[in-house]
Amino acid sequence: STTEPPVTVETLDDVPEHVLRGLPEDVRLFPSAVDKTRLGVWATKSILKGKKFGPFVGDKKKRSQV
């Protein structure tokens, strides 16, 4: 019998405080619909196209790098 490694599930405790503070009022972090072990960004109401929020922290990546 093979033993599979334990699955690590991302929680809100794993999210840096500055990220939580930067979320707009109508955006929440919940389990991802794509990967149940990760958190995803969910809107509680429609977000207008072009709406900006932040601050952005980190390095910008080209689409080919992600």
Side-chain angles (χ1 to χ4, degrees), residues 30-47:
F30 291 116
S32 170
V34 177
D35 180 349
K36 298 297 184 196
T37 66
R38 302 293 309 271
L39 292 174
V41 179
W42 295 83
T44 58
K45 67 180 190 181
S46 295
I47 299 173

Side-chain angles (χ1 to χ4, degrees), residues 41-61:
V41 179
W42 295 83
T44 58
K45 67 180 190 181
S46 295
I47 299 173
L48 297 176
K49 183 177 181 177
K51 175 78 172 173
K52 294 182 182 184
F53 52 89
F56 174 79
V57 177
D59 298 321
K60 290 187 178 184
K61 302 286 184 186

